[in-house]
Amino acid sequence: MMTKTSVQPLLVNYKTLEEFKRFKEYGNQELTMLEDLESNIVENDSESPFFGVYFGNALVARMSLYRVQAKYDNYFLPPQDYLELWKLEVLPDHRNQGYGKALVDFAKSFNLPIKTNPRIKSHSFWEKMSFQKAHYDVGRDLGENPLIWLPSGVEEREV
Amino acid sequence: MMTKTSVQPLLVNYKTLEEFKRFKEYGNQELTMLEDLESNIVENDSESPFFGVYFGNALVARMSLYRVQAKYDNYFLPPQDYLELWKLEVLPDHRNQGYGKALVDFAKSFNLPIKTNPRIKSHSFWEKMSFQKAHYDVGRDLGENPLIWLPSGVEEREV
């Protein structure tokens, strides 16, 4: 029997922030969350932009997801709120179990367009997830290689 | 006798685009330049946002540099034009010759603030170049770990 992978919102607390250290893409975002928690700027168990998959009690996959407001949308037609997805990562021992796909499917379930700036060498994964390359525009994309996912009725904006 | 490393603007042509393939961070930006050249959307030897260092006839270091307009500035005080620097890379056989520093010094010579989103594990280099971490703001920085350089008289904007 197949078990459905459960994707959960991750709350800001010391346990989660400790688990984040096991992921490669650990940076200012996590450090700022930790500082905010330590200095009581955010409460324990407050919301974070992260979603994750647990295997038993261990966080084994995660992504960060942020809703960008329509007024900042330079990618889609008509201009609209969209999701920026980043830090999608599955820990090495837990790959090829469909966790990455479960996270992306969760993001798609909002039925908003999605933009991501993939890590080098992950393009075949994103292609399987039906993401496409946005037409590159230096003034908009600078150092990014944006990939986008278009729900039905949404087009890429011409640059 | 020390020779000063010469930083040159790189023009869009088939030789340069072929040399770009030797760099790790090759993506949409380079592919779009190649397509534009092939389809005559840009002329041969037109300007590019890249600057480079040659060793003999071979391109051995490069960076991309783009002037972002003041109205899009969310990093500096007072708001002003700034430079976004990315794809700074020195080919493996030519490291530790000061080429990376020469490129960064060239960027600094415009006397505009600079923002970069460094590759993981390059932080000690950027620290030596007097870059500092911007205070992370999820809605602005999303998946980036921005580093900034402030010329005299410029401050970081509070988030």
Side-chain angles (χ1 to χ4, degrees), chain A residues 136 142-145, chain B residues 23-31 33 50-51 61-65 85-90 103 116-117 119 126:
Chain A
Y136 180 79
L142 302 169
E144 295 201 353
N145 289 318
Chain B
F23 291 81
K24 236 180 179 170
E25 292 197 72
Y26 184 93
N28 281 359
Q29 189 182 4
E30 290 82 353
L31 291 168
M33 286 166 68
F50 283 93
F51 295 85
R62 68 166 195 178
M63 71 176 166
S64 199
L65 204 59
L85 190 166
W86 72 98
K87 294 195 180 175
L88 177 71
E89 190 175 340
V90 181
L103 286 164
T116 191
N117 179 40
R119 293 166 62 98
W126 290 106

Side-chain angles (χ1 to χ4, degrees), chain A residues 13-83:
Chain A
N13 57 50
Y14 289 104
K15 179 179 181 293
T16 304
L17 289 171
E18 192 57 37
E19 292 192 292
F20 279 175
K21 292 184 184 163
R22 303 171 64 201
F23 292 80
K24 234 178 179 171
E25 291 198 71
Y26 185 93
N28 280 1
Q29 188 182 6
E30 290 82 354
L31 291 168
T32 299
M33 286 165 68
L34 187 58
E35 280 168 19
D36 288 352
L37 187 61
E38 284 170 347
S39 56
N40 296 310
I41 289 174
V42 301
E43 275 182 66
N44 198 43
D45 288 339
S46 55
E47 276 184 36
S48 87
F50 283 95
F51 294 85
V53 174
Y54 283 90
F55 183 76
N57 287 320
L59 182 68
V60 297
R62 70 167 194 177
M63 70 175 167
S64 199
L65 204 60
Y66 187 85
R67 186 170 180 144
V68 178
Q69 291 175 60
K71 63 177 171 181
Y72 299 116
D73 175 11
N74 295 314
Y75 288 91
F76 304 103
L77 197 71
Q80 59 198 282
D81 286 12
Y82 70 90
L83 297 176

Side-chain angles (χ1 to χ4, degrees), chain B residues 1 3-4 7 13 22 24 28 46-47 76-81 88 109 111 117-118 130 135 143 158:
Chain B
M1 203 177 89
T3 352
K4 205 179 164 305
V7 172
N13 57 50
R22 301 171 64 202
K24 236 180 179 170
N28 281 359
S46 54
E47 277 184 34
F76 305 103
L77 197 70
Q80 59 199 282
D81 286 12
L88 177 71
S109 71
N111 211 36
N117 179 40
S130 309
H135 291 98
E158 277 186 49

Side-chain angles (χ1 to χ4, degrees), chain B residues 28-63:
Chain B
N28 281 359
Q29 189 182 4
E30 290 82 353
L31 291 168
T32 299
M33 286 166 68
L34 186 58
E35 281 168 19
D36 289 352
L37 188 61
E38 284 171 346
S39 57
N40 297 310
I41 289 174
V42 300
E43 275 182 66
N44 197 44
D45 288 338
S46 54
E47 277 184 34
S48 87
F50 283 93
F51 295 85
V53 173
Y54 283 90
F55 183 77
N57 287 319
L59 182 69
V60 296
R62 68 166 195 178
M63 71 176 166

